[in-house]
Amino acid sequence: IRRIRWWHTPEWAMRDQYLKRGIEICGWTGQKDVAAKYGLYLRDIGNEPELSPQTPTECVAMHRAAREDWKDMGDDYRFYGPVVNISTRGFDYLKAFVEAGGAQYVDAIALHTYCGATAEFKYPAGYLAGAPEVILARVGEIRAYLKEKGVDKPLTCSEWGYSDTKTANPHMQDPTPLRKAQFLVRGCIIHHVLGFRRLYMYSFYDEGTDPNYSEHLFGIVSRDCQKKPAYQALKNMVQTLGETLYEAEVAGLGAGDYGYRFRRVDAPGFVTAVWNGARERAGVFRTKSASVRIVDLFGGARTVKPKEDGTFLAKFDASPVYFV
């Protein structure tokens, strides 16, 4: 975890709990003196304006005013906006924001990539509502629109994640600790494959303890600082993928299968992640290595020796497995 989104965090907490630990902060507009004091240069302007009375024209005016207010801070500051959801309502707001000239006032298009059970999201056959794979198509639509309008800006995501609550859960069908771990890992990989410049996961720790209040339970660490399965799965993902760069999709996979190959930059070779969110699968894969280490969602590993033709058999399901 390298960066956080700074909302109304007290200055002492930013200074002592985050900055001293090397955690970068993406700030909210209006706290210019604090940002200047600590060299905080990522500015997140607003939050889900499509859910507020603010019109797209007013949203553009707010971004324009923020740019004007901060122009004496130099050219190092970066502004994210308009911070809309990828829902149809959010996408329509983004279009209106762009049509009103808002893109010129942001350095990156900021999105919230939540997905849920509404009919607007079309999931692969057998996948539960909330599965992050739907982000691929929707972000593809957004990118196509931005290209059509000549908007060449990187994408950032300043909120994405899942709540544990089983009551009125907005983003996950049949929530369980395992499913949250699966969705988070798969979604992190998907955001990376899609080329997001920043991904701010909501959230690192729970904001409360009410089991029936969705906003309290988005964390991967509980309110009393206990690590959830999602924490262990994400830690394993980071350690396993390590210093790699996304290279290509895995060829030859079946319906409902997802697979991505990453090239290592610290040593020769590749790391591959595969999964199927609907059912257990067994696939035949090929490698040039003399052995392959198969790592599961939580870090359990076994080593297999490929056949003479380089093929090996591996099972996978909704929990991604890695070939190292």
Side-chain angles (χ1 to χ4, degrees):
I1 306 297
R2 296 290 301 277
R3 298 171 177 86
I4 69 164
R5 191 180 182 202
W6 160 33
W7 281 82
H8 298 291
T9 308
E11 182 178 348
W12 68 265
M14 290 190 296
R15 180 188 65 238
D16 299 336
Q17 302 300 320
Y18 298 116
L19 296 174
K20 284 186 177 179
R21 289 174 167 84
I23 299 175
E24 184 178 294
I25 297 173
C26 171
W28 203 20
T29 188
Q31 295 167 308
K32 180 177 175 182
D33 56 335
V34 177
K37 184 175 181 180
Y38 296 105
L40 310 177
Y41 60 90
L42 305 177
R43 312 302 303 163
D44 205 12
I45 308 297
N47 186 68
E48 299 180 347
E50 78 277 15
L51 304 182
S52 76
Q54 185 182 59
T55 68
T57 300
E58 291 169 341
C59 187
V60 171
M62 181 179 69
H63 283 73
R64 182 170 59 246
R67 277 288 192 186
E68 179 66 22
D69 182 40
W70 283 67
K71 67 180 183 181
D72 62 327
M73 301 286 280
D75 297 328
D76 292 335
Y77 287 83
R78 297 292 178 262
F79 288 77
Y80 298 170
V83 201
V84 295
N85 285 284
I86 61 170
S87 63
T88 300
R89 184 176 179 179
F91 191 7
D92 288 345
Y93 196 99
L94 173 62
K95 292 176 181 177
F97 177 84
V98 171
E99 296 289 346
Q104 64 182 303
Y105 301 115
V106 300
D107 298 296
I109 300 296
L111 306 171
H112 286 179
T113 50
Y114 296 119
C115 39
T118 56
E120 64 186 294
F121 293 112
K122 308 300 181 183
Y123 293 94
Y127 275 62
L128 294 175
E133 288 72 21
V134 75
I135 296 171
L136 288 159
R138 181 53 58 93
V139 170
E141 295 174 19
I142 292 172
R143 273 227 168 91
Y145 168 77
L146 293 174
K147 183 177 180 180
E148 175 189 334
K149 295 300 179 179
V151 178
D152 184 18
K153 307 278 184 175
L155 298 182
T156 66
C157 173
S158 56
E159 268 189 39
W160 168 78
Y162 297 93
S163 174
D164 296 311
T165 183
K166 293 183 180 296
T167 303
N169 192 314
H171 305 129
M172 183 188 296
Q173 179 182 344
D174 190 20
T176 67
L178 173 60
R179 188 159 294 126
K180 177 171 176 172
Q182 294 168 336
F183 280 16
L184 283 175
V185 167
R186 283 154 42 188
C188 283
I189 293 173
I190 286 168
H191 281 89
H192 182 66
V193 166
L194 286 169
F196 275 76
R197 189 67 59 86
R198 294 280 191 276
L199 170 62
Y200 294 86
M201 191 178 64
Y202 180 51
S203 59
F204 184 70
Y205 69 95
D206 285 342
E207 294 187 3
T209 58
D210 186 345
N212 297 316
Y213 183 41
S214 174
E215 289 291 338
H216 273 195
L217 302 174
F218 273 86
I220 60 173
V221 175
S222 69
R223 191 65 178 176
D224 58 355
C225 296
Q226 299 303 301
K227 298 171 183 176
K228 301 180 184 181
Y231 176 97
Q232 305 296 349
L234 286 168
K235 179 181 179 182
N236 175 57
M237 178 197 71
V238 172
Q239 291 176 333
T240 303
L241 288 178
E243 295 296 325
T244 64
L245 295 173
Y246 171 61
E247 185 164 273
E249 292 185 49
V250 176
L253 293 177
D257 297 340
Y258 290 83
Y260 301 101
R261 186 174 70 248
F262 300 84
R263 178 172 51 83
R264 297 184 62 171
V265 298
D266 57 348
F270 301 89
V271 180
T272 299
V274 297
W275 68 84
N276 184 303
R279 61 193 177 97
E280 184 178 67
R281 291 269 288 116
V284 176
F285 301 88
R286 188 183 300 275
T287 181
K288 295 181 180 180
S289 301
S291 65
V292 176
R293 189 163 60 95
I294 301 177
V295 182
D296 67 22
L297 180 66
F298 297 110
R302 63 188 181 91
T303 299
V304 299
K305 184 176 181 180
K307 297 180 179 179
E308 290 186 2
D309 62 357
T311 60
F312 64 96
L313 180 70
K315 293 182 179 180
F316 54 96
D317 56 17
S319 295
V321 296
Y322 309 93
F323 307 143
V324 183

